[in-house]
Amino acid sequence: MSETKFKKVTHCIFDMDGLLLDTESVYEEVIRQIAQEYDKPYPIETRLKLLGTTEPRTAEIVVNDLGLPITTEEFLQKFHKLCRERLADCPLHKGAEKLLRHLHKHNIPFCLATSSGEDMVEIKITHHQDVFKLFHHRVCGSTDPDVKHGKPAPDIFLVAASRFPDKPDPSQCLVFEDAPNGVKGAHSAGMQVVMVPDERVPLEMCSLATQRILSLEQFQPELFGLPPFDN
């Protein structure tokens, strides 16, 4: 999309996994380990389907695609146990902290819209509490009762926008996502989307993004009417 078509925004909504935190490699290891218990492969096609999905949906896709001889509940038990052991040490992606502190400094409201459950979020942000305290609020798709349908449905983004005190119109919100499912959801919600995709995501799966960048370090706030970085 041409830069001239970027529209001014007043609020920002951030995904977490794979965008702010480098969690995707952990998830990949965990699911591959579970698959190997049953001598099943974990193909890239399945992995791409999982990006941005809620935990229950992740379980459904993995069990069905891989033909695992367990229920989705049994998968989630294994999944949660392994995740709790490994997710506390996930680092922030490059550019994430700088952008969040910049928005906070300039009083730009922003929130979190993650498909993870509240308990898993707490584990992941163990070593990043000071950064995540900057968010106005967070919506956790796997445990929030107001999120009826997970990404790629628009529910989580509409709920996130509605919880800002001034309840901005969706067109005033800029979403940051790494997953095609998240981009679809934000686009359906009527929001602009900056996508920072995994390098293995095919280009055609990025087509709905307003802007596609390789890293949050490349984001230029002024393109969307936000205060430019100081340096």
Side-chain angles (χ1 to χ4, degrees), residues 125-144:
I125 67 174
T126 298
H127 301 302
H128 309 293
Q129 292 286 346
D130 56 335
V131 175
F132 281 87
K133 283 178 182 176
L134 302 178
F135 286 80
H136 180 269
H137 60 274
R138 60 194 190 206
V139 181
C140 303
S142 289
T143 52
D144 194 307

Side-chain angles (χ1 to χ4, degrees), residues 62-73:
V62 173
V63 170
N64 291 332
D65 275 25
L66 275 53
L68 301 183
I70 55 176
T71 64
T72 54
E73 290 77 13

Side-chain angles (χ1 to χ4, degrees), residues 137-163:
H137 60 274
R138 60 194 190 206
V139 181
C140 303
S142 289
T143 52
D144 194 307
D146 289 338
V147 181
K148 305 302 183 186
H149 305 284
K151 303 172 187 177
D155 300 35
I156 192 169
F157 299 110
L158 295 173
V159 170
S162 73
R163 291 183 183 171

Side-chain angles (χ1 to χ4, degrees), residues 186-201:
H187 184 266
S188 295
M191 301 176 182
Q192 295 182 90
V193 199
V194 172
M195 186 181 193
V196 190
D198 182 291
E199 61 184 11
R200 287 172 285 187
V201 174

Side-chain angles (χ1 to χ4, degrees), residues 63-129:
V63 170
N64 291 332
D65 275 25
L66 275 53
L68 301 183
I70 55 176
T71 64
T72 54
E73 290 77 13
E74 289 169 332
F75 171 86
L76 284 173
Q77 287 176 0
K78 294 174 180 287
F79 180 76
H80 285 149
K81 179 178 183 297
L82 292 170
C83 284
R84 288 191 180 94
E85 294 170 358
R86 304 178 188 182
L87 283 172
D89 296 319
C90 292
L92 286 164
H93 272 302
K94 290 181 179 180
E97 183 169 359
K98 178 184 177 182
L99 175 55
L100 295 172
R101 291 195 181 279
H102 172 75
L103 295 174
H104 184 259
K105 175 184 175 182
H106 291 280
N107 299 311
I108 303 300
F110 59 92
C111 70
L112 195 69
T114 173
S115 294
S116 293
E118 183 72 36
D119 56 338
M120 297 305 293
V121 170
E122 286 297 331
I123 292 170
K124 295 169 192 174
I125 67 174
T126 298
H127 301 302
H128 309 293
Q129 292 286 346

